[in-house]
Amino acid sequence: WEGSVDLVNYLVKENVSLKGLKVIDLGCGHAFPGMHASMEGAHVDLQDYNEEVINDITMMNVIANLKGVEHQPRYFCGDWGSLAAVTGAKCYDVILTAETIYDSVATNRLITCMHDLLKPEGVAYIAAKSYYFGVGGCTHDFLKLVAEALPKRTITQVAHIQDGTSNVREILLLSAEQ
């Protein structure tokens, strides 16, 4: 997914330090952002809804590409609604997620999950297409939903990617609680 590449490119370009932080990659798939965080010295958890994705794709990608890192990732599968009960609530410094706001039902679950998992001083980086044609999700609606659901935080667009190879894409930053 382009969003994963965009997100890692943004983190590198902006020199976002993840060393020593507790990070989760939500909806990780191939786990490109999560592996980047792990290579930067973060304590990383990788989550995807599908157990098959974790077992057949995520783990295989990590085994092939994360040799010699200080902290090996932990893996979680299942719905975002039950994740805090397994990982612990309010325990992450950073959430990374890419291409996860394509559906309004999933979007609301993602927002609740971010609220449940992030420490008050934690932040989230969300990579997404501006519009997901045919499925209803878009960054504009996501920004409004977050503003309503998480009034102690702000969410802003920090990158706009329009390279002519795909749909317009964005990186959004969910701030620490104010």
Side-chain angles (χ1 to χ4, degrees):
W1 295 90
E2 302 110 333
S4 293
V5 174
D6 293 339
L7 183 51
V8 171
N9 286 340
Y10 174 82
L11 296 170
V12 169
K13 178 182 172 203
E14 296 300 320
N15 200 28
V16 174
S17 177
L18 301 170
K19 185 171 181 59
L21 298 180
K22 190 164 181 188
V23 176
I24 188 164
D25 184 349
L26 294 176
C28 66
H30 285 91
F32 187 48
M35 288 193 303
H36 167 75
S38 188
M39 288 186 277
E40 292 293 314
H43 302 266
V44 176
D45 290 342
L46 301 171
Q47 181 278 337
D48 200 276
Y49 182 82
N50 295 299
E51 184 175 4
E52 295 82 13
V53 170
I54 291 290
N55 291 335
D56 298 340
I57 296 172
T58 310
M59 285 181 170
M60 296 301 107
N61 205 21
V62 167
I63 289 167
N65 294 294
L66 272 188
K67 294 177 175 46
V69 297
E70 188 175 348
H71 309 285
Q72 284 295 317
R74 298 186 311 165
Y75 303 91
F76 298 94
C77 57
D79 187 82
W80 290 325
S82 60
L83 192 56
V86 179
T87 63
K90 308 286 186 196
C91 66
Y92 291 98
D93 300 298
V94 178
I95 291 175
L96 304 173
T97 189
E99 310 288 358
T100 52
I101 67 163
Y102 55 86
D103 171 87
S104 60
V105 173
T107 296
N108 286 317
R109 294 177 93 87
L110 176 63
I111 293 167
T112 300
C113 182
M114 290 190 301
H115 171 74
D116 292 346
L117 296 180
L118 273 178
K119 294 177 179 177
E121 66 277 12
V123 299
Y125 294 92
I126 302 103
K129 291 177 179 64
S130 297
Y131 296 97
Y132 289 90
F133 299 103
V135 291
C138 69
T139 54
H140 180 265
D141 289 348
F142 183 73
L143 291 167
K144 288 194 309 188
L145 289 169
V146 169
E148 293 168 7
L150 305 176
K152 292 183 179 178
R153 296 181 183 268
T154 57
I155 186 163
T156 55
Q157 180 196 79
V158 293
H160 180 88
I161 302 102
Q162 191 167 4
D163 57 13
T165 64
S166 176
N167 295 344
V168 176
R169 303 178 310 274
E170 303 174 37
I171 306 295
L172 307 175
L173 173 60
L174 181 66
S175 73
E177 288 185 3
Q178 307 294 326

